[in-house]
Amino acid sequence: MSGEQKIAIRVRDLEVSYDDNRVLQNINFDVHEGEILVILGESGCGKSTLLRHMLMLRSPQGGSVHYGDIDLCQASENELDEIRRDFGVLFQSGALFKSLTLGDNVAMPAVEFTNLSKDTIEELVHLKLEMVGLGGMQELMPSQLSGGMQKRGGLARAMVLDPKVLFFDEPSAGLDPVTSASLDHLIITLNETLGITMVVVTHELESIHAIAHHAIMLGKNHPGILAEGTPNELQNSDIPRVRAFFNRERYDENHGVLSGN
Amino acid sequence: MAIRVEQSITFENAEAVYAELSGYVRDSGNQVVRFDLSGLGEIDSAGLAVFHRIHSNLRIDGRQIEFINIPDRVRQLFELSNIEHPSAGAVSPPVHQGELERIGQLSLEAASDFRDMLGYIGRVTLALIWSMGHPAKVRWGDVTRYVQETGADALPIVALMSMLVGLVIAFSSAIQLAQFGANIFIVDLIGIGVTREIGPLMAAILLIARSGSAFAAEIGTQKISEEIDALTVMGLKPIPYLVIPRIIATLLTLPLLTIFADLFGVIGGMIIAQVSLDVTPTIFIQRMAEAVSLWDISSGVLKSLFFAVLIAGTGCYRGMETSGGAMGVGRSTTDSVVSGIFLLVVADSVFVILFHFLGLSF
């Protein structure tokens, strides 16, 4: 399905190091419009680092990240601010501002960046919360919400200005299977009905199978992309490390796949 | 008759469209207001919000909304945002309290705070006594780190502030003293004033600002990130582990800081004595030996021992009381400084009165 689709984000030769430690290298991939791209890999492989660089929260040591015609790595602060209006990000913890009510959290981008009236914003907040299943809870403080609800709240805030691209950092981390599944369902519904392009960082196998149109896998101790394809292609990959990940097996650099017990 | 919508509704024009549409709705006066969406252009969330708002207004008047000829794409959006059956409003209505009830509640809270504080003082005292019997169990590594942070690192600011205060006091009194030809008494004023009160207070206030607040913030952050709970379940008591090393460190540093503050306060006074009153440093020091007794200095140092326990104890207590995330840490830090300074001044007043009645202030 990705054949004729337009490319939303193009990453080329991205290179990232922390001090002398090369974390990412030769990273090349495209995010197509309207697709759900999953970035996966073992803990510590640089998934979240890649996401942070796609958002230009940190500048890479080399390479480019194009959104449309603009290279984010070369863009000025003002251009970046402009581009980030098209982006929505759900951080791992939801990152709701603890001093504001849920409703004020969600309203914040709309208050800052649009000239809608207070009443319209209130309705906007209401309907976004309704979309994520938190209808009627706008008066609650983040501390009164469970972890899963905080994430949904963070998602409502990320979506309030109708972003073209939504980024998710470990959306199902720390959630129970039921909540996690309903969040996956929400991601799919939003993608299908609103056509939002999505970039999801995760290592949850169930989520990957449920939501990914396309996936790239980063390798631990290997700063490049290990494998790329649909979840099914990856599961049947020739690379032992990739297969081990998808079949939940132990793996060791020297001995390959280790038997279960 | 249905109201036909023949335009796009987006973030850019939402307010204008709302004004226009609600005008039609007002004019129509129908019980059920119909919108024909066959001609609808682009619609985004702001557009949805406009329809939601019109719907809410109608509901208040007991009227209804209906959409006809909804394009498929828009229908999905409508379903996603549940426009037909929105959830009920706020979950918990705010509780209204009478004045009396609130006063009662505040008194109960104050009483329970006081009880908590007494319990805390008791536990800290017991832990301190226990530590004296078991010096090997004290975390001396932490103690040295806190000595560095509360003591050595504070030297420059303590020196600067005490000297400035010494300068200011000497300068303000120099004019008065000169009028009476009592120039030499600048030494008595500075010597006794600085060693008994200014030195201990300056050192203590800076300790509150630099370290008491830091203790509250550190322990508060540990509290909200469940580190204190982790200590407790590992069988490590938070007070010996977190509070006692800090108290021991400040007990060691504050007396030294006090002597240091005394020294620089006197130097400040000495400078002014030379400049404004022609009292040379040699005369100043000679007179100082006559005017200032060892008790003046040691009473200040003695007080500082109590201040040290008070300041470290308050900072740690506020830290342990922290709740409610980043805001809570900010509140505890503020509280640690405010109540630290308050208790410091109260304690100092008690000492003044105590020394007076014991015949120790002459």
Side-chain angles (χ1 to χ4, degrees), chain B residues 154-163 202-203 206 257-258 260-261 264:
Chain B
L155 289 179
I157 188 74
V158 168
L160 180 70
M161 297 300 283
S162 313
M163 192 162 90
M202 284 310 294
L206 285 166
L257 283 180
T258 300
F260 197 69
F264 277 84

Side-chain angles (χ1 to χ4, degrees), chain A residues 43 90-94 145-152 169-184 201-207:
Chain A
S43 301
L90 173 58
F91 289 96
Q92 212 174 107
S93 61
L145 303 175
S146 72
M149 288 156 89
Q150 291 197 13
K151 280 200 182 169
R152 287 159 169 270
D169 192 6
E170 309 258 4
S172 36
L175 298 184
D176 66 88
V178 177
T179 313
S180 168
S182 69
L183 193 61
D184 286 348
V201 164
T202 185
H203 54 220
E204 302 275 329
L205 283 175
E206 286 86 353
S207 285

Side-chain angles (χ1 to χ4, degrees), chain A:
Chain A
M1 59 174 289
S2 55
E4 337 73 76
Q5 269 176 318
K6 283 180 30 188
I7 291 169
I9 300 178
R10 179 183 301 138
V11 179
R12 287 290 175 270
D13 298 322
L14 196 74
E15 187 183 314
V16 177
S17 347
Y18 287 113
D19 300 325
D20 290 337
N21 193 5
R22 177 83 33 97
V23 186
L24 299 172
Q25 192 177 16
N26 285 331
I27 303 288
N28 290 291
F29 66 93
D30 298 328
V31 186
H32 294 92
E33 276 182 12
E35 84 171 348
I36 302 181
L37 176 92
V38 169
I39 301 170
L40 57 97
E42 296 157 54
S43 301
C45 68
K47 301 187 294 283
S48 296
T49 304
L50 177 54
L51 190 79
R52 291 176 65 80
H53 285 84
M54 291 174 75
L55 293 165
M56 259 330 112
L57 291 173
R58 194 171 177 274
S59 303
Q61 274 64 41
S64 65
V65 178
H66 274 90
Y67 176 70
D69 299 330
I70 302 168
D71 182 1
L72 302 189
C73 305
Q74 310 294 334
S76 68
E77 258 324 293
N78 287 340
E79 282 177 306
L80 276 179
D81 284 347
E82 197 65 33
I83 288 166
R84 287 193 183 122
R85 300 266 195 93
D86 285 357
F87 291 173
V89 186
L90 173 58
F91 289 96
Q92 212 174 107
S93 61
L96 292 174
F97 302 113
K98 305 288 185 291
S99 54
L100 301 177
T101 62
L102 177 60
D104 289 343
N105 261 288
V106 178
M108 194 184 221
V111 172
E112 296 294 329
F113 297 120
T114 71
N115 38 29
L116 299 181
S117 68
K118 200 167 150 286
D119 286 342
T120 309
I121 288 177
E122 203 173 295
E123 292 295 346
L124 183 64
V125 168
H126 195 95
L127 75 92
K128 290 293 171 180
L129 287 175
E130 198 72 57
M131 279 187 193
V132 298
L134 295 177
M137 300 198 181
Q138 52 267 56
E139 294 304 321
L140 297 183
M141 299 300 285
S143 55
Q144 295 172 284
L145 303 175
S146 72
M149 288 156 89
Q150 291 197 13
K151 280 200 182 169
R152 287 159 169 270
L155 180 55
R157 187 179 67 187
M159 295 196 319
V160 75
L161 294 182
D162 290 345
K164 298 199 172 64
V165 188
L166 262 177
F167 295 85
F168 296 80
D169 192 6
E170 309 258 4
S172 36
L175 298 184
D176 66 88
V178 177
T179 313
S180 168
S182 69
L183 193 61
D184 286 348
H185 179 72
L186 182 63
I187 290 174
I188 295 168
T189 316
L190 292 172
N191 173 259
E192 283 172 358
T193 50
L194 304 175
I196 306 177
T197 309
M198 300 194 174
V199 178
V200 184
V201 164
T202 185
H203 54 220
E204 302 275 329
L205 283 175
E206 286 86 353
S207 285
I208 295 166
H209 282 294
I211 63 177
H213 295 151
H214 194 79
I216 59 175
M217 181 166 173
L218 301 179
K220 202 176 176 181
N221 311 324
H222 173 293
I225 293 179
L226 210 56
E228 184 172 358
T230 64
N232 277 334
E233 286 166 9
L234 292 185
Q235 185 159 23
N236 302 315
S237 163
D238 296 334
I239 308 167
R241 178 140 220 158
V242 178
R243 259 203 330 274
F245 182 92
F246 271 85
N247 296 315
R248 223 168 167 274
E249 289 166 332
R250 291 196 297 151
Y251 182 87
D252 185 291
E253 290 286 323
N254 304 319
H255 303 96
V257 175
L258 305 170
S259 60
N261 300 306

Side-chain angles (χ1 to χ4, degrees), chain B residues 2-178:
Chain B
I3 300 169
R4 228 176 111 75
V5 185
E6 288 183 317
Q7 56 196 324
S8 297
I9 316 177
T10 60
F11 276 100
E12 279 71 41
N13 65 354
E15 283 307 320
V17 174
Y18 170 76
E20 191 184 332
L21 291 181
S22 52
Y24 293 144
V25 168
R26 226 182 3 257
D27 296 343
S28 90
N30 291 347
Q31 184 60 28
V32 178
V33 179
R34 283 196 186 79
F35 285 96
D36 181 351
L37 301 186
S38 56
L40 182 69
E42 287 282 305
I43 182 165
D44 62 14
S45 297
L48 283 182
V50 164
F51 285 124
H52 268 278
R53 196 172 159 194
I54 293 171
H55 189 190
S56 308
N57 295 344
L58 287 171
R59 220 181 18 235
I60 293 168
D61 298 343
R63 295 160 77 189
Q64 284 169 358
I65 197 167
E66 206 176 282
F67 298 100
I68 53 174
N69 300 327
I70 312 176
D72 274 353
R73 176 181 49 90
V74 179
R75 174 174 298 282
Q76 280 179 319
L77 270 179
F78 274 21
E79 278 166 11
L80 198 62
S81 68
N82 216 353
I83 197 165
E84 317 279 353
H85 313 283
S87 309
V91 175
S92 51
V95 186
H96 286 285
Q97 272 183 333
E99 288 302 316
L100 270 179
E101 199 179 339
R102 194 148 62 228
I103 293 170
Q105 200 169 27
L106 285 176
S107 319
L108 284 177
E109 275 168 21
S112 111
D113 279 353
F114 185 67
R115 212 168 34 240
D116 288 349
M117 197 142 159
L118 279 185
Y120 170 79
I121 293 170
R123 283 199 302 279
V124 169
T125 313
L126 283 179
L128 266 179
I129 293 169
W130 185 86
S131 300
M132 278 186 241
H134 303 77
K137 297 272 186 185
V138 174
R139 298 173 50 81
W140 293 108
D142 285 353
V143 173
T144 42
R145 186 162 63 85
Y146 296 131
V147 166
Q148 160 87 32
E149 283 171 11
T150 61
D153 294 350
L155 289 179
I157 188 74
V158 168
L160 180 70
M161 297 300 283
S162 313
M163 192 162 90
L164 286 178
V165 171
L167 281 170
V168 168
I169 292 177
F171 194 76
S172 323
S173 36
I175 305 158
Q176 312 295 326
L177 290 169

